[in-house]
């Protein structure tokens, strides 16, 4: 199997319009200062940035619980308002829990919603690409209501290995992959299962910087209020702008950003630099329908988190503790290299130190 060559590590720098004119990439928007000299337009800090957007919740956004892709439309809106050119290529159906799974055969088909999600019709109007929203199914014809879906990693690999060039004209992009906003946090042991994180890992495998976004639900964790998605989207757009301004985009690792529940009117506490925990927040049980039978129901539930439970968190600065127990925005680096004890190069250590300083001291507050 022939794979596309690995893209060079992307570092974004501010450049003049003249320098970028031949590449088809717009420079950061500017407005004149009082003395007539140009200065960056702070209302559009992501101008010229090309973003591929994907998720694991699908692009349908039709469920009353808001668990099937509404977060994708909220982050799309926020990124475009900040000046980015955004193309969404996401799974056709909900693919939560697919991790980094890929599909090894068949045919991919691109589908769209019959009409834009109500309330989001005019988002991203005027972008160079037109900012389409595609869902990717496995079919030899149009995607139908029951068509099986591509996985989150499928969508990113497809987009980066030809899909964006074919559908958006981006032959040497994007500059950044954003996945989410997921319905529910992705913390602790279930990070390995997360399709939101898996799609971001697929991006850094291809040499493209990536940020994975997940939002808590309400107190029940069964419904996912628009307020949580919207607050996270506003924060994420500013957070990404800060990364860009400081040349902190990297393909050494993805950044995982989890946002707490703010649907009751409380504010998210400031972002903190965390590690992925080892405990469990969700437990999958397998219950036999009949004694001695061959049918077993998959029954997920929330862990009890008792001191002696296998679910209990043991990592001191765990993402789950910061997010769920303390109400902070949790930021953690996620690498595709899962070798135990692997050492980061001196350059990588410096990069991590700069990112930790940004998260803890300079990143936007809610």
């Amino acid at each position: 199997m022939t794979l596309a060559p690995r893209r060079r590590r992307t570092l974004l720098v501010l450049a003049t319009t003249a320098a970028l004119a031949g590449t088809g990439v717009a420079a950061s928007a500017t407005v004149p200062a009082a003395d007539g000299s140009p200065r960056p337009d702070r209302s559009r800090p992501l101008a010229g940035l090309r973003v591929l957007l994907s998720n694991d919740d699908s692009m349908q956004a039709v469920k009353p619980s808001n668990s099937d892709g509404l977060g994708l439309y909220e982050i799309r809106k926020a990124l475009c308002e900040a000046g980015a050119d955004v193309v969404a290529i996401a799974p056709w159906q909900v693919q939560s829990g697919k991790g980094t799974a890929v599909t090894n055969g068949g045919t991919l088909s691109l589908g769209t919603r019959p009409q834009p999600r109500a309330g989001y019709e005019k988002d991203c109007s005027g972008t160079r690409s037109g900012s389409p929203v595609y869902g990717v199914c496995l079919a030899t014809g149009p995607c139908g209501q029951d068509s099986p879906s591509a996985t989150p990693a499928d969508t990113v690999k497809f987009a980066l290995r030809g899909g964006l060039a074919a559908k958006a004209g981006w032959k040497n992009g994007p500059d950044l992959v954003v996945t989410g906003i997921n319905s529910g946090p992705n913390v602790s042991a279930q990070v390995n299962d997360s399709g939101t994180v898996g799609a971001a890992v697929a991006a850094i495998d291809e040499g493209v910087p990536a940020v994975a976004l997940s939002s808590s639900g309400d107190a029940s964790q069964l419904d996912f209020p628009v307020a949580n998605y919207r607050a996270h989207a506003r924060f994420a757009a500013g957070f990404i702008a800060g990364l860009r301004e400081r040349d902190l985009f990297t393909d050494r690792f993805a950044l995982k950003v989890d946002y707490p529940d703010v649907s009751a009117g409380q504010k998210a506490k400031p972002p903190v630099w965390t590690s992925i925990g080892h405990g469990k927040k969700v437990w999958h049980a397998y219950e036999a329908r009949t004694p001695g039978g061959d049918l077993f129901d998959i029954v997920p539930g929330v862990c009890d988190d008792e001191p002696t439970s296998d679910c209990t968190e043991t990592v001191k600065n765990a993402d789950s503790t910061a997010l769920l127990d303390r109400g902070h925005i949790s930021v953690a680096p996620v690498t595709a290299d899962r070798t135990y004890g692997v050492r980061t190069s001196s350059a990588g250590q410096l990069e991590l130190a700069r990112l930790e300083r940004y998260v803890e001291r300079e990143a936007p507050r809610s």
Side-chain angles (χ1 to χ4, degrees):
M1 178 171 65
T2 302
L3 300 179
R6 183 175 176 85
R7 295 175 68 250
R8 293 190 304 272
R9 179 170 179 262
T10 305
L11 285 177
L12 296 178
V13 295
L14 296 177
T16 64
T17 302
L20 291 170
T23 68
V25 180
S28 297
T30 60
V31 294
D35 61 1
S37 61
R39 65 183 181 189
D41 182 354
R42 295 298 179 183
S43 69
R44 293 174 59 81
L46 298 181
L49 186 73
R50 296 167 301 168
V51 177
L52 168 65
L53 183 59
S54 189
N55 67 2
D56 72 0
D57 286 338
S58 85
M59 41 68 77
Q60 299 292 338
V62 295
K63 293 183 178 180
S65 65
N66 297 328
S67 63
D68 64 337
L70 183 64
L72 179 141
Y73 292 91
E74 281 292 333
I75 187 59
R76 176 177 178 264
K77 178 179 181 179
L79 292 172
C80 284
E81 286 179 348
D85 190 357
V86 181
V87 175
I89 300 180
W92 179 248
Q93 308 277 13
V94 174
Q95 294 289 286
S96 182
K98 294 296 184 180
T100 55
V102 294
T103 305
N104 289 327
T107 304
L108 298 180
S109 178
L110 298 187
T112 58
R113 287 174 54 96
Q115 53 188 332
R117 163 82 189 206
Y120 300 86
E121 299 92 335
K122 297 181 180 180
D123 296 346
C124 300
S125 61
T127 61
R128 182 168 295 187
S129 69
S131 294
V133 177
Y134 295 109
V136 187
C137 71
L138 305 176
T140 55
C143 297
Q145 182 176 357
D146 298 322
S147 296
S149 182
T151 70
D154 283 337
T155 65
V156 170
K157 291 176 183 289
F158 160 73
L160 299 182
R161 297 181 184 181
L164 283 171
K167 304 305 293 186
W170 293 359
K171 296 183 180 179
N172 63 341
D175 305 304
L176 179 71
V177 172
V178 175
T179 63
I181 300 171
N182 188 65
S183 58
N186 277 306
V187 293
S188 296
Q190 64 251 36
V191 168
N192 283 336
D193 302 330
S194 167
T196 303
V197 176
V201 170
I204 61 172
D205 279 346
E206 296 295 314
V208 183
V211 178
L213 308 173
S214 300
S215 283
S216 294
D218 62 10
S220 72
Q221 290 295 339
L222 298 175
D223 290 302
F224 302 92
V226 175
N228 286 352
Y229 290 133
R230 192 156 295 167
H232 195 175
R234 286 195 301 265
F235 169 80
F239 181 79
I240 290 168
L243 293 174
R244 185 193 198 196
E245 183 179 12
R246 292 161 176 79
D247 288 340
L248 288 174
F249 286 172
T250 179
D251 65 358
R252 295 179 192 271
F253 47 82
L255 282 177
K256 183 179 72 73
V257 184
D258 291 89
Y259 204 87
D261 176 25
V262 294
S263 60
Q266 67 274 38
K267 286 189 176 182
K269 292 182 180 178
V272 292
W273 187 249
T274 63
S275 298
I276 295 174
H278 294 172
K280 299 177 181 66
K281 294 299 178 182
V282 177
W283 183 267
H284 290 80
Y286 306 91
E287 298 179 357
R289 287 196 178 181
T290 57
D294 294 329
L295 296 178
F296 293 79
D297 291 320
I298 303 170
V299 185
V302 178
C303 278
D304 55 18
D305 202 24
E306 295 294 331
T308 58
S309 168
D310 291 338
C311 297
T312 302
E313 186 55 72
T314 57
V315 174
K316 183 178 180 180
N317 65 332
D319 49 2
S320 58
T321 303
L323 179 78
L324 300 175
D325 297 347
R326 296 164 49 203
H328 284 275
I329 302 165
S330 167
V331 182
V334 182
T335 176
D337 187 340
R338 300 180 182 183
T339 304
Y340 180 75
V342 65
R343 285 188 173 273
T344 304
S345 67
S346 57
Q349 290 287 359
L350 177 60
E351 201 165 44
L352 282 170
R354 291 183 63 210
L355 271 163
E356 182 175 357
R357 177 183 176 87
Y358 169 62
V359 169
E360 297 275 359
R361 302 184 186 183
E362 302 165 354
R365 270 44 183 164
S366 62

